[in-house]
Amino acid sequence: MKQNIHPSVHQTGIVCVSCGTNWPISSTRKNLRVDVCSKCHPFYTGEQRIVDTAGQVDRFMRRLRTSQEHQAAADRRREDRRTPKKPSLVKEIYGEDT
Ligand SMILES: [Zn+2]
């Protein structure tokens, strides 16, 4: 082996952020982290669960709530436009029985 060209290898571990499992490995890098591993990934555990480490579900729910509020406001405006603001002039002059 040629001297001074190879990186140093450490005994370290890959830490899963979701479940905290430490997978011991040898690596040239330290403090390796993964979002999901085979102990907690839904494919391996068989349970229906959303692994949301980046807050994507929260972001989606926030956008959905905002969208529903806008939709409800648009529906209210549309309903306000349909109802006449003042009675028709014909009905005002001749009464309701025309
Ligand atoms: Zn895990």
Side-chain angles (χ1 to χ4, degrees):
M1 202 164 88
K2 196 170 178 181
Q3 295 297 313
N4 300 327
I5 63 162
H6 298 283
S8 58
V9 176
H10 315 281
Q11 283 297 318
T12 181
I14 297 176
V15 178
C16 175
V17 177
S18 296
C19 67
T21 307
N22 187 14
W23 302 90
I25 59 159
S26 299
S27 175
T28 57
R29 300 182 66 189
K30 292 178 179 176
N31 299 326
L32 297 167
R33 295 182 184 279
V34 290
D35 286 341
V36 66
C37 69
S38 62
K39 277 197 176 172
C40 60
H41 192 282
F43 180 81
Y44 297 101
T45 59
E47 64 184 43
Q48 284 288 329
R49 179 171 68 87
I50 296 173
V51 180
D52 184 27
T53 54
Q56 293 292 310
V57 173
D58 291 337
R59 187 167 155 250
F60 173 78
M61 294 308 284
R62 201 166 49 239
R63 283 170 43 206
L64 179 67
R65 201 167 37 246
T66 305
S67 169
Q68 285 172 340
E69 286 169 3
H70 285 178
Q71 188 64 43
D75 288 346
R76 274 196 304 275
R77 281 196 304 271
R78 198 173 303 123
E79 200 59 41
D80 286 348
R81 258 185 269 131
R82 276 200 200 121
T83 57
K85 290 185 182 81
K86 62 181 191 180
S88 105
L89 191 58
V90 174
K91 285 186 178 177
E92 200 173 290
I93 294 170
Y94 297 108
E96 289 293 322
D97 54 318
T98 53

